[in-house]
Amino acid sequence: MRIRRAEQKDLPELLAIYNFEVVNGVATLDLTPRTPDEWQGWFDRHNVENHPLLAAEIDGCVAGYACLSSYREKEAFRSTVELSIYVDPAFRRRGVAGALMAKILEEAKQDERTHTVVSVITAGNEASRRLHEKFGFEFCGTIREVGVKHGEYRDIENYRLGV
């Protein structure tokens, strides 16, 4: 497995990984698959400032990605970033998420512009919860019934890590 900066050529695979979760999972509470144009805008907001976007590559395929994005648009939040990690279903249970987490946190710790990493996990995602706890994230609370997906109200769990 090779962890590297995501490149423009990765965009279709990154989009497919994300849209799989939109349609089939609850890792994101997005309800409508993203279009290539929307995903281009998302891509363009990464690998700038303190917002890296990394891809895990296995046998020439993008197996997953991790990114640090703006937490909130207000200027006071610039040193706080929101973490996202998504893994292609074909590559799960192969250490991809852990490798991505280790590398993205290493980048956050080396960037003096980043002070806090926040992660918002849909309640019930035990694999994600365990991964965050393994890397030292602190549980900061649950917000109940904030979104509806697949016909059910969903809670979110907030985690933070000071870097």
Side-chain angles (χ1 to χ4, degrees):
M1 177 181 345
R2 179 176 156 231
I3 307 293
R4 58 170 175 76
R5 291 270 178 192
E7 301 171 12
Q8 182 68 39
K9 69 180 176 74
D10 301 321
L11 203 59
E13 289 174 285
L14 299 173
L15 178 59
I17 291 168
Y18 186 78
N19 279 342
F20 178 86
E21 282 301 320
V22 171
V23 172
N24 300 291
V26 293
T28 177
L29 294 184
D30 268 345
L31 301 176
T32 305
R34 297 294 172 104
T35 67
D37 285 344
E38 290 170 325
W39 211 237
Q40 182 66 57
W42 168 86
F43 182 85
D44 292 342
R45 290 187 296 277
H46 291 90
N47 289 331
V48 295
E49 298 180 10
N50 59 341
H51 302 127
L53 170 58
L54 305 178
E57 185 180 303
I58 298 175
D59 299 328
C61 297
V62 175
Y65 69 88
C67 63
L68 299 177
S69 305
S70 295
Y71 173 64
R72 298 283 184 267
E73 293 305 314
K74 292 182 174 74
E75 198 173 336
F77 292 111
R78 278 192 183 155
S79 64
T80 299
V81 292
E82 185 170 348
L83 168 70
S84 297
I85 297 177
Y86 289 89
V87 178
D88 185 305
F91 292 97
R92 292 183 182 164
R93 294 178 176 41
R94 293 174 63 178
V96 174
L100 284 164
M101 178 75 90
K103 184 64 175 166
I104 201 89
L105 291 179
E106 177 184 312
E107 292 212 10
K109 289 173 184 176
Q110 291 176 356
D111 191 325
E112 71 278 351
R113 296 170 292 191
T114 301
H115 179 72
T116 302
V117 178
V118 171
S119 196
V120 179
I121 302 170
T122 306
N125 186 341
E126 293 305 310
S128 185
R129 182 187 57 76
R130 283 191 306 272
L131 179 68
H132 283 75
E133 289 174 357
K134 174 182 173 184
F135 280 88
F137 278 76
E138 167 191 12
F139 175 71
C140 296
T142 300
I143 303 175
R144 305 239 178 258
E145 299 183 352
V146 294
V148 178
K149 187 156 186 189
H150 302 308
E152 294 180 35
Y153 277 97
R154 303 291 173 169
D155 301 343
I156 56 171
E157 299 172 343
N158 295 282
Y159 285 79
R160 74 164 292 278
L161 179 70
V163 297

